[in-house]
Amino acid sequence: MKTIFITGANRGIGLELTRQLSSTGNQIIATCRNPEEAVELMELSRDSHRNIEILPMDVEQEVSVTKLAETLRNRGEKINLLFNNAGIIDWRSMQDIDTKTMLRVYKINVIGAMLVLRAFVPHLKQTPEPMVINLSSRLGSIALRGRTELGGAIAYSASKAGLNMLTKQASIDLVDDGISVISISPGWVRTDMGGPKAKYSVEESVKQILCNVDRFTSGDSGKFFGEDGEEIPF
Ligand SMILES: NC(=O)c1ccc[n+]([C@@H]2O[C@H](COP(=O)([O-])OP(=O)(O)OC[C@H]3O[C@@H](n4cnc5c(N)ncnc54)[C@H](OP(=O)(O)O)[C@@H]3O)[C@@H](O)[C@H]2O)c1
């Protein structure tokens, strides 16, 4: 049994990660901005064998992240696996985006992930082979730009490229703590973000993500993978 920490667990990929990982007996710390509004997550928690704990955390607010980290540290919580899943998108192109939105996307998708990772290093490094999975996107691959179907989304693409650098740099900075940090793209998924025309159901995507996570080793730290298990060039 592992203790698994998930951000943005109230809907989409985060909710499905919580569902699939809790069904195999893991202890889930499911975090979200507004637990009182997380109806599906609360139902899932009630139906599970009490192995889902729902806690408030807004990755945009540093104090929210550090407060939860402190609470969990005080009670001696150790974390095996952390999913930096929370994220937002804005589809506008360079011509249309405003700086306020650009900053907000960066704040949540990059700074938020960094704050969470940093705050939970003490909890992670107490477990054997701890791992952090950053939910990235092929839109964040500089090497693939121009070769995928989607265009625009300048704030999002730039933020996911930034997240990939966070993965790479953190994998180096945390090597002495034994913490692996890996970026994974879930593919194009039918969630609020991905929309109804996306390729994968959320169940399929999360199943693939978890297959990959199961086979990841410390040798994969600092790399970027697709849902198909293939490495994606940065
Ligand atoms: N769906 C796709 O096709 C796709 C493709 C590539 C990558 N991804 C990545 O996969 C991850 C999950 O995507 P998704 O499709 O599940 O998106 P989604 O359905 O839009 O869900 C996003 C989640 O992030 C949470 N969130 C946003 N801002 C937050 C904040 N400040 N603090 C805490 N939680 C916050 C949301 O919570 P609220 O309900 O409170 O807003 C929600 O739980 C994202 O990082 C996304 O970039 C998705």
Side-chain angles (χ1 to χ4, degrees), residues 8-14 33 57-60 85-88 108 135-137 156 160 185-189 191-194:
N10 56 309
R11 60 189 168 95
I13 292 169
R33 284 196 266 220
M57 193 176 72
D58 182 341
V59 305
E60 205 179 349
N85 165 74
I88 60 168
I108 292 176
L135 266 290
S136 186
S137 167
Y156 182 77
K160 292 298 186 183
S185 166
W188 188 22
V189 192
T191 61
D192 292 340
M193 182 182 290

PDB file of all heavy atoms in Angstrom, residues 8-14 33 57-60 85-88 108 135-137 156 160 185-189 191-194, ligand 1:
ATOM      1  N   GLY A   8      -5.702  18.765  -7.487  1.00  0.00           N
ATOM      2  CA  GLY A   8      -6.814  18.904  -8.444  1.00  0.00           C
ATOM      3  C   GLY A   8      -7.596  17.602  -8.558  1.00  0.00           C
ATOM      4  O   GLY A   8      -7.937  17.160  -9.659  1.00  0.00           O
ATOM      5  N   ALA A   9      -7.922  17.013  -7.399  1.00  0.00           N
ATOM      6  CA  ALA A   9      -8.530  15.664  -7.388  1.00  0.00           C
ATOM      7  C   ALA A   9     -10.050  15.678  -7.510  1.00  0.00           C
ATOM      8  O   ALA A   9     -10.676  14.618  -7.487  1.00  0.00           O
ATOM      9  CB  ALA A   9      -8.125  14.945  -6.096  1.00  0.00           C
ATOM     10  N   ASN A  10     -10.647  16.846  -7.660  1.00  0.00           N
ATOM     11  CA  ASN A  10     -12.118  16.914  -7.637  1.00  0.00           C
ATOM     12  C   ASN A  10     -12.788  16.618  -8.973  1.00  0.00           C
ATOM     13  O   ASN A  10     -13.983  16.351  -9.017  1.00  0.00           O
ATOM     14  CB  ASN A  10     -12.579  18.293  -7.134  1.00  0.00           C
ATOM     15  CG  ASN A  10     -12.015  19.424  -7.954  1.00  0.00           C
ATOM     16  OD1 ASN A  10     -10.808  19.485  -8.172  1.00  0.00           O
ATOM     17  ND2 ASN A  10     -12.865  20.308  -8.438  1.00  0.00           N
ATOM     18  N   ARG A  11     -12.021  16.690 -10.083  1.00  0.00           N
ATOM     19  CA  ARG A  11     -12.649  16.391 -11.381  1.00  0.00           C
ATOM     20  C   ARG A  11     -11.567  15.971 -12.385  1.00  0.00           C
ATOM     21  O   ARG A  11     -10.361  16.053 -12.099  1.00  0.00           O
ATOM     22  CB  ARG A  11     -13.483  17.552 -11.917  1.00  0.00           C
ATOM     23  CG  ARG A  11     -12.718  18.835 -12.160  1.00  0.00           C
ATOM     24  CD  ARG A  11     -13.670  19.991 -12.489  1.00  0.00           C
ATOM     25  NE  ARG A  11     -12.995  21.268 -12.459  1.00  0.00           N
ATOM     26  CZ  ARG A  11     -12.488  21.886 -13.519  1.00  0.00           C
ATOM     27  NH1 ARG A  11     -12.591  21.338 -14.719  1.00  0.00           N
ATOM     28  NH2 ARG A  11     -11.882  23.053 -13.404  1.00  0.00           N
ATOM     29  N   GLY A  12     -12.030  15.508 -13.553  1.00  0.00           N
ATOM     30  CA  GLY A  12     -11.116  15.173 -14.641  1.00  0.00           C
ATOM     31  C   GLY A  12     -10.125  14.074 -14.273  1.00  0.00           C
ATOM     32  O   GLY A  12     -10.457  13.094 -13.605  1.00  0.00           O
ATOM     33  N   ILE A  13      -8.903  14.253 -14.726  1.00  0.00           N
ATOM     34  CA  ILE A  13      -7.862  13.235 -14.553  1.00  0.00           C
ATOM     35  C   ILE A  13      -7.544  13.016 -13.065  1.00  0.00           C
ATOM     36  O   ILE A  13      -7.332  11.880 -12.628  1.00  0.00           O
ATOM     37  CB  ILE A  13      -6.600  13.648 -15.360  1.00  0.00           C
ATOM     38  CG1 ILE A  13      -6.921  13.559 -16.867  1.00  0.00           C
ATOM     39  CG2 ILE A  13      -5.400  12.779 -15.018  1.00  0.00           C
ATOM     40  CD1 ILE A  13      -5.880  14.170 -17.789  1.00  0.00           C
ATOM     41  N   GLY A  14      -7.554  14.092 -12.289  1.00  0.00           N
ATOM     42  CA  GLY A  14      -7.254  13.962 -10.856  1.00  0.00           C
ATOM     43  C   GLY A  14      -8.267  13.091 -10.130  1.00  0.00           C
ATOM     44  O   GLY A  14      -7.913  12.259  -9.287  1.00  0.00           O
ATOM     45  N   ARG A  33      -9.296  22.641  -4.406  1.00  0.00           N
ATOM     46  CA  ARG A  33      -9.512  24.002  -3.904  1.00  0.00           C
ATOM     47  C   ARG A  33     -10.672  24.091  -2.938  1.00  0.00           C
ATOM     48  O   ARG A  33     -10.596  24.733  -1.904  1.00  0.00           O
ATOM     49  CB  ARG A  33      -9.824  24.940  -5.072  1.00  0.00           C
ATOM     50  CG  ARG A  33      -8.646  25.323  -5.872  1.00  0.00           C
ATOM     51  CD  ARG A  33      -8.999  26.507  -6.714  1.00  0.00           C
ATOM     52  NE  ARG A  33      -9.448  26.079  -8.031  1.00  0.00           N
ATOM     53  CZ  ARG A  33      -9.121  26.716  -9.147  1.00  0.00           C
ATOM     54  NH1 ARG A  33      -8.405  27.808  -9.087  1.00  0.00           N
ATOM     55  NH2 ARG A  33      -9.534  26.297 -10.305  1.00  0.00           N
ATOM     56  N   MET A  57      -6.503  22.386  -0.795  1.00  0.00           N
ATOM     57  CA  MET A  57      -5.242  23.005  -1.212  1.00  0.00           C
ATOM     58  C   MET A  57      -5.432  23.708  -2.557  1.00  0.00           C
ATOM     59  O   MET A  57      -5.889  23.111  -3.525  1.00  0.00           O
ATOM     60  CB  MET A  57      -4.110  21.992  -1.333  1.00  0.00           C
ATOM     61  CG  MET A  57      -2.752  22.697  -1.447  1.00  0.00           C
ATOM     62  SD  MET A  57      -1.372  21.541  -1.480  1.00  0.00           S
ATOM     63  CE  MET A  57      -1.599  20.859  -3.101  1.00  0.00           C
ATOM     64  N   ASP A  58      -5.084  24.985  -2.564  1.00  0.00           N
ATOM     65  CA  ASP A  58      -5.103  25.782  -3.793  1.00  0.00           C
ATOM     66  C   ASP A  58      -3.647  26.009  -4.180  1.00  0.00           C
ATOM     67  O   ASP A  58      -2.911  26.693  -3.457  1.00  0.00           O
ATOM     68  CB  ASP A  58      -5.820  27.115  -3.508  1.00  0.00           C
ATOM     69  CG  ASP A  58      -5.936  27.989  -4.748  1.00  0.00           C
ATOM     70  OD1 ASP A  58      -5.188  27.760  -5.722  1.00  0.00           O
ATOM     71  OD2 ASP A  58      -6.770  28.908  -4.744  1.00  0.00           O
ATOM     72  N   VAL A  59      -3.227  25.441  -5.301  1.00  0.00           N
ATOM     73  CA  VAL A  59      -1.808  25.513  -5.655  1.00  0.00           C
ATOM     74  C   VAL A  59      -1.376  26.928  -6.052  1.00  0.00           C
ATOM     75  O   VAL A  59      -0.186  27.206  -6.163  1.00  0.00           O
ATOM     76  CB  VAL A  59      -1.428  24.499  -6.767  1.00  0.00           C
ATOM     77  CG1 VAL A  59      -1.823  23.088  -6.384  1.00  0.00           C
ATOM     78  CG2 VAL A  59      -2.015  24.887  -8.117  1.00  0.00           C
ATOM     79  N   GLU A  60      -2.370  27.796  -6.247  1.00  0.00           N
ATOM     80  CA  GLU A  60      -2.050  29.183  -6.596  1.00  0.00           C
ATOM     81  C   GLU A  60      -1.665  29.988  -5.353  1.00  0.00           C
ATOM     82  O   GLU A  60      -1.099  31.069  -5.460  1.00  0.00           O
ATOM     83  CB  GLU A  60      -3.284  29.813  -7.277  1.00  0.00           C
ATOM     84  CG  GLU A  60      -2.952  30.953  -8.184  1.00  0.00           C
ATOM     85  CD  GLU A  60      -4.186  31.539  -8.865  1.00  0.00           C
ATOM     86  OE1 GLU A  60      -5.278  30.934  -8.798  1.00  0.00           O
ATOM     87  OE2 GLU A  60      -4.051  32.613  -9.466  1.00  0.00           O
ATOM     88  N   ASN A  85      -1.103  17.377 -10.647  1.00  0.00           N
ATOM     89  CA  ASN A  85      -2.108  17.251 -11.713  1.00  0.00           C
ATOM     90  C   ASN A  85      -2.852  18.555 -11.983  1.00  0.00           C
ATOM     91  O   ASN A  85      -3.250  18.814 -13.116  1.00  0.00           O
ATOM     92  CB  ASN A  85      -3.097  16.148 -11.312  1.00  0.00           C
ATOM     93  CG  ASN A  85      -4.352  16.174 -12.139  1.00  0.00           C
ATOM     94  OD1 ASN A  85      -4.363  15.787 -13.308  1.00  0.00           O
ATOM     95  ND2 ASN A  85      -5.450  16.681 -11.551  1.00  0.00           N
ATOM     96  N   ALA A  86      -3.041  19.377 -10.954  1.00  0.00           N
ATOM     97  CA  ALA A  86      -3.832  20.604 -11.115  1.00  0.00           C
ATOM     98  C   ALA A  86      -3.270  21.456 -12.243  1.00  0.00           C
ATOM     99  O   ALA A  86      -2.050  21.638 -12.341  1.00  0.00           O
ATOM    100  CB  ALA A  86      -3.826  21.403  -9.812  1.00  0.00           C
ATOM    101  N   GLY A  87      -4.157  21.952 -13.084  1.00  0.00           N
ATOM    102  CA  GLY A  87      -3.688  22.810 -14.172  1.00  0.00           C
ATOM    103  C   GLY A  87      -4.849  23.535 -14.825  1.00  0.00           C
ATOM    104  O   GLY A  87      -6.012  23.143 -14.670  1.00  0.00           O
ATOM    105  N   ILE A  88      -4.519  24.594 -15.547  1.00  0.00           N
ATOM    106  CA  ILE A  88      -5.542  25.319 -16.310  1.00  0.00           C
ATOM    107  C   ILE A  88      -5.019  25.553 -17.732  1.00  0.00           C
ATOM    108  O   ILE A  88      -3.813  25.483 -17.982  1.00  0.00           O
ATOM    109  CB  ILE A  88      -5.936  26.673 -15.669  1.00  0.00           C
ATOM    110  CG1 ILE A  88      -4.725  27.613 -15.548  1.00  0.00           C
ATOM    111  CG2 ILE A  88      -6.593  26.465 -14.309  1.00  0.00           C
ATOM    112  CD1 ILE A  88      -5.121  29.055 -15.201  1.00  0.00           C
ATOM    113  N   ILE A 108      -0.227  28.862 -11.915  1.00  0.00           N
ATOM    114  CA  ILE A 108      -0.826  27.580 -11.516  1.00  0.00           C
ATOM    115  C   ILE A 108      -0.020  26.403 -12.070  1.00  0.00           C
ATOM    116  O   ILE A 108       0.346  25.474 -11.340  1.00  0.00           O
ATOM    117  CB  ILE A 108      -2.303  27.513 -11.963  1.00  0.00           C
ATOM    118  CG1 ILE A 108      -3.107  28.538 -11.159  1.00  0.00           C
ATOM    119  CG2 ILE A 108      -2.870  26.100 -11.788  1.00  0.00           C
ATOM    120  CD1 ILE A 108      -4.569  28.660 -11.542  1.00  0.00           C
ATOM    121  N   LEU A 135       1.964  16.312 -14.498  1.00  0.00           N
ATOM    122  CA  LEU A 135       1.075  16.155 -15.654  1.00  0.00           C
ATOM    123  C   LEU A 135       1.388  17.257 -16.662  1.00  0.00           C
ATOM    124  O   LEU A 135       1.009  18.412 -16.467  1.00  0.00           O
ATOM    125  CB  LEU A 135      -0.386  16.220 -15.206  1.00  0.00           C
ATOM    126  CG  LEU A 135      -1.082  14.885 -14.899  1.00  0.00           C
ATOM    127  CD1 LEU A 135      -1.325  14.079 -16.156  1.00  0.00           C
ATOM    128  CD2 LEU A 135      -0.316  14.048 -13.902  1.00  0.00           C
ATOM    129  N   SER A 136       2.091  16.866 -17.707  1.00  0.00           N
ATOM    130  CA  SER A 136       2.497  17.816 -18.730  1.00  0.00           C
ATOM    131  C   SER A 136       1.636  17.620 -19.976  1.00  0.00           C
ATOM    132  O   SER A 136       0.529  17.071 -19.890  1.00  0.00           O
ATOM    133  CB  SER A 136       3.993  17.634 -19.019  1.00  0.00           C
ATOM    134  OG  SER A 136       4.442  18.631 -19.894  1.00  0.00           O
ATOM    135  N   SER A 137       2.149  18.046 -21.113  1.00  0.00           N
ATOM    136  CA  SER A 137       1.383  17.970 -22.349  1.00  0.00           C
ATOM    137  C   SER A 137       2.345  17.996 -23.527  1.00  0.00           C
ATOM    138  O   SER A 137       3.400  18.643 -23.460  1.00  0.00           O
ATOM    139  CB  SER A 137       0.453  19.183 -22.436  1.00  0.00           C
ATOM    140  OG  SER A 137      -0.078  19.301 -23.736  1.00  0.00           O
ATOM    141  N   TYR A 156      -0.479  28.262 -22.311  1.00  0.00           N
ATOM    142  CA  TYR A 156      -0.458  26.873 -21.843  1.00  0.00           C
ATOM    143  C   TYR A 156       0.805  26.164 -22.331  1.00  0.00           C
ATOM    144  O   TYR A 156       1.503  25.503 -21.555  1.00  0.00           O
ATOM    145  CB  TYR A 156      -1.707  26.169 -22.362  1.00  0.00           C
ATOM    146  CG  TYR A 156      -1.870  24.734 -21.921  1.00  0.00           C
ATOM    147  CD1 TYR A 156      -2.306  24.435 -20.633  1.00  0.00           C
ATOM    148  CD2 TYR A 156      -1.602  23.679 -22.790  1.00  0.00           C
ATOM    149  CE1 TYR A 156      -2.472  23.110 -20.225  1.00  0.00           C
ATOM    150  CE2 TYR A 156      -1.769  22.361 -22.397  1.00  0.00           C
ATOM    151  CZ  TYR A 156      -2.213  22.084 -21.114  1.00  0.00           C
ATOM    152  OH  TYR A 156      -2.381  20.770 -20.718  1.00  0.00           O
ATOM    153  N   LYS A 160       3.709  24.576 -19.975  1.00  0.00           N
ATOM    154  CA  LYS A 160       4.055  23.150 -19.893  1.00  0.00           C
ATOM    155  C   LYS A 160       5.527  22.933 -20.269  1.00  0.00           C
ATOM    156  O   LYS A 160       6.164  22.017 -19.762  1.00  0.00           O
ATOM    157  CB  LYS A 160       3.116  22.314 -20.758  1.00  0.00           C
ATOM    158  CG  LYS A 160       1.670  22.277 -20.222  1.00  0.00           C
ATOM    159  CD  LYS A 160       1.548  21.637 -18.840  1.00  0.00           C
ATOM    160  CE  LYS A 160       0.104  21.470 -18.389  1.00  0.00           C
ATOM    161  NZ  LYS A 160      -0.067  20.925 -17.048  1.00  0.00           N
ATOM    162  N   SER A 185       2.607  13.071 -20.366  1.00  0.00           N
ATOM    163  CA  SER A 185       1.452  13.634 -21.061  1.00  0.00           C
ATOM    164  C   SER A 185       0.344  12.587 -21.050  1.00  0.00           C
ATOM    165  O   SER A 185       0.580  11.437 -21.437  1.00  0.00           O
ATOM    166  CB  SER A 185       1.810  13.973 -22.512  1.00  0.00           C
ATOM    167  OG  SER A 185       0.604  14.207 -23.226  1.00  0.00           O
ATOM    168  N   PRO A 186      -0.854  12.974 -20.630  1.00  0.00           N
ATOM    169  CA  PRO A 186      -1.950  11.988 -20.568  1.00  0.00           C
ATOM    170  C   PRO A 186      -2.583  11.702 -21.923  1.00  0.00           C
ATOM    171  O   PRO A 186      -3.517  10.898 -22.010  1.00  0.00           O
ATOM    172  CB  PRO A 186      -2.957  12.661 -19.633  1.00  0.00           C
ATOM    173  CG  PRO A 186      -2.753  14.121 -19.856  1.00  0.00           C
ATOM    174  CD  PRO A 186      -1.277  14.298 -20.147  1.00  0.00           C
ATOM    175  N   GLY A 187      -2.091  12.364 -22.987  1.00  0.00           N
ATOM    176  CA  GLY A 187      -2.786  12.292 -24.276  1.00  0.00           C
ATOM    177  C   GLY A 187      -3.917  13.301 -24.289  1.00  0.00           C
ATOM    178  O   GLY A 187      -4.047  14.110 -23.360  1.00  0.00           O
ATOM    179  N   TRP A 188      -4.728  13.244 -25.347  1.00  0.00           N
ATOM    180  CA  TRP A 188      -5.859  14.181 -25.441  1.00  0.00           C
ATOM    181  C   TRP A 188      -7.068  13.483 -24.817  1.00  0.00           C
ATOM    182  O   TRP A 188      -7.529  12.448 -25.324  1.00  0.00           O
ATOM    183  CB  TRP A 188      -6.085  14.554 -26.899  1.00  0.00           C
ATOM    184  CG  TRP A 188      -7.081  15.651 -27.090  1.00  0.00           C
ATOM    185  CD1 TRP A 188      -7.471  16.588 -26.184  1.00  0.00           C
ATOM    186  CD2 TRP A 188      -7.824  15.921 -28.282  1.00  0.00           C
ATOM    187  NE1 TRP A 188      -8.397  17.431 -26.727  1.00  0.00           N
ATOM    188  CE2 TRP A 188      -8.636  17.046 -28.015  1.00  0.00           C
ATOM    189  CE3 TRP A 188      -7.878  15.328 -29.549  1.00  0.00           C
ATOM    190  CZ2 TRP A 188      -9.502  17.579 -28.963  1.00  0.00           C
ATOM    191  CZ3 TRP A 188      -8.732  15.858 -30.500  1.00  0.00           C
ATOM    192  CH2 TRP A 188      -9.533  16.978 -30.198  1.00  0.00           C
ATOM    193  N   VAL A 189      -7.577  14.045 -23.732  1.00  0.00           N
ATOM    194  CA  VAL A 189      -8.518  13.324 -22.875  1.00  0.00           C
ATOM    195  C   VAL A 189      -9.850  14.071 -22.739  1.00  0.00           C
ATOM    196  O   VAL A 189      -9.856  15.302 -22.577  1.00  0.00           O
ATOM    197  CB  VAL A 189      -7.903  13.133 -21.458  1.00  0.00           C
ATOM    198  CG1 VAL A 189      -8.745  12.145 -20.654  1.00  0.00           C
ATOM    199  CG2 VAL A 189      -6.465  12.659 -21.537  1.00  0.00           C
ATOM    200  N   THR A 191     -12.093  15.529 -20.846  1.00  0.00           N
ATOM    201  CA  THR A 191     -12.392  16.160 -19.557  1.00  0.00           C
ATOM    202  C   THR A 191     -12.909  17.554 -19.879  1.00  0.00           C
ATOM    203  O   THR A 191     -13.026  17.922 -21.056  1.00  0.00           O
ATOM    204  CB  THR A 191     -11.101  16.288 -18.717  1.00  0.00           C
ATOM    205  OG1 THR A 191     -10.185  17.112 -19.466  1.00  0.00           O
ATOM    206  CG2 THR A 191     -10.466  14.948 -18.419  1.00  0.00           C
ATOM    207  N   ASP A 192     -13.163  18.346 -18.839  1.00  0.00           N
ATOM    208  CA  ASP A 192     -13.557  19.741 -19.098  1.00  0.00           C
ATOM    209  C   ASP A 192     -12.482  20.436 -19.935  1.00  0.00           C
ATOM    210  O   ASP A 192     -12.786  21.223 -20.829  1.00  0.00           O
ATOM    211  CB  ASP A 192     -13.736  20.503 -17.781  1.00  0.00           C
ATOM    212  CG  ASP A 192     -14.931  19.995 -16.998  1.00  0.00           C
ATOM    213  OD1 ASP A 192     -15.810  19.356 -17.610  1.00  0.00           O
ATOM    214  OD2 ASP A 192     -14.976  20.219 -15.764  1.00  0.00           O
ATOM    215  N   MET A 193     -11.223  20.115 -19.649  1.00  0.00           N
ATOM    216  CA  MET A 193     -10.135  20.751 -20.396  1.00  0.00           C
ATOM    217  C   MET A 193     -10.035  20.217 -21.821  1.00  0.00           C
ATOM    218  O   MET A 193      -9.913  20.976 -22.776  1.00  0.00           O
ATOM    219  CB  MET A 193      -8.788  20.542 -19.680  1.00  0.00           C
ATOM    220  CG  MET A 193      -7.636  21.218 -20.381  1.00  0.00           C
ATOM    221  SD  MET A 193      -6.028  20.955 -19.607  1.00  0.00           S
ATOM    222  CE  MET A 193      -6.167  21.908 -18.110  1.00  0.00           C
ATOM    223  N   GLY A 194     -10.065  18.916 -21.974  1.00  0.00           N
ATOM    224  CA  GLY A 194      -9.857  18.290 -23.283  1.00  0.00           C
ATOM    225  C   GLY A 194     -11.056  18.399 -24.205  1.00  0.00           C
ATOM    226  O   GLY A 194     -10.905  18.362 -25.430  1.00  0.00           O
TER     227      GLY A 194
HETATM  228  N1  LIG B   1      -7.405  16.779 -20.801  1.00  0.00           N
HETATM  229  C1  LIG B   1      -6.400  16.764 -21.653  1.00  0.00           C
HETATM  230  O1  LIG B   1      -6.569  16.478 -22.861  1.00  0.00           O
HETATM  231  C2  LIG B   1      -4.998  17.041 -21.167  1.00  0.00           C
HETATM  232  C3  LIG B   1      -3.959  16.939 -22.114  1.00  0.00           C
HETATM  233  C4  LIG B   1      -2.647  17.173 -21.708  1.00  0.00           C
HETATM  234  C5  LIG B   1      -2.394  17.506 -20.395  1.00  0.00           C
HETATM  235  N2  LIG B   1      -3.418  17.607 -19.493  1.00  0.00           N
HETATM  236  C6  LIG B   1      -3.051  17.985 -18.113  1.00  0.00           C
HETATM  237  O2  LIG B   1      -3.608  17.076 -17.185  1.00  0.00           O
HETATM  238  C7  LIG B   1      -3.945  17.766 -15.964  1.00  0.00           C
HETATM  239  C8  LIG B   1      -5.409  17.511 -15.612  1.00  0.00           C
HETATM  240  O3  LIG B   1      -6.200  17.957 -16.706  1.00  0.00           O
HETATM  241  P1  LIG B   1      -7.777  17.693 -16.810  1.00  0.00           P
HETATM  242  O4  LIG B   1      -8.045  17.389 -18.224  1.00  0.00           O
HETATM  243  O5  LIG B   1      -8.213  16.762 -15.744  1.00  0.00           O
HETATM  244  O6  LIG B   1      -8.307  19.166 -16.508  1.00  0.00           O
HETATM  245  P2  LIG B   1      -9.700  19.661 -15.856  1.00  0.00           P
HETATM  246  O7  LIG B   1     -10.745  18.661 -16.089  1.00  0.00           O
HETATM  247  O8  LIG B   1      -9.874  21.050 -16.337  1.00  0.00           O
HETATM  248  O9  LIG B   1      -9.346  19.681 -14.291  1.00  0.00           O
HETATM  249  C9  LIG B   1      -8.369  20.554 -13.806  1.00  0.00           C
HETATM  250  C10 LIG B   1      -8.186  20.322 -12.315  1.00  0.00           C
HETATM  251  O10 LIG B   1      -7.179  21.231 -11.844  1.00  0.00           O
HETATM  252  C11 LIG B   1      -7.718  21.904 -10.719  1.00  0.00           C
HETATM  253  N3  LIG B   1      -7.136  23.202 -10.480  1.00  0.00           N
HETATM  254  C12 LIG B   1      -7.063  24.263 -11.312  1.00  0.00           C
HETATM  255  N4  LIG B   1      -6.490  25.313 -10.672  1.00  0.00           N
HETATM  256  C13 LIG B   1      -6.189  24.892  -9.420  1.00  0.00           C
HETATM  257  C14 LIG B   1      -5.600  25.490  -8.273  1.00  0.00           C
HETATM  258  N5  LIG B   1      -5.203  26.766  -8.283  1.00  0.00           N
HETATM  259  N6  LIG B   1      -5.431  24.738  -7.150  1.00  0.00           N
HETATM  260  C15 LIG B   1      -5.843  23.455  -7.099  1.00  0.00           C
HETATM  261  N7  LIG B   1      -6.445  22.842  -8.141  1.00  0.00           N
HETATM  262  C16 LIG B   1      -6.609  23.555  -9.285  1.00  0.00           C
HETATM  263  C17 LIG B   1      -9.207  22.013 -11.012  1.00  0.00           C
HETATM  264  O11 LIG B   1      -9.899  22.339  -9.823  1.00  0.00           O
HETATM  265  P3  LIG B   1     -11.232  23.307  -9.827  1.00  0.00           P
HETATM  266  O12 LIG B   1     -12.390  22.423 -10.089  1.00  0.00           O
HETATM  267  O13 LIG B   1     -11.222  23.892  -8.456  1.00  0.00           O
HETATM  268  O14 LIG B   1     -11.031  24.315 -10.908  1.00  0.00           O
HETATM  269  C18 LIG B   1      -9.463  20.609 -11.527  1.00  0.00           C
HETATM  270  O15 LIG B   1      -9.550  19.706 -10.459  1.00  0.00           O
HETATM  271  C19 LIG B   1      -3.641  19.237 -16.218  1.00  0.00           C
HETATM  272  O16 LIG B   1      -2.382  19.561 -15.671  1.00  0.00           O
HETATM  273  C20 LIG B   1      -3.613  19.336 -17.728  1.00  0.00           C
HETATM  274  O17 LIG B   1      -2.806  20.387 -18.182  1.00  0.00           O
HETATM  275  C21 LIG B   1      -4.707  17.380 -19.859  1.00  0.00           C
END
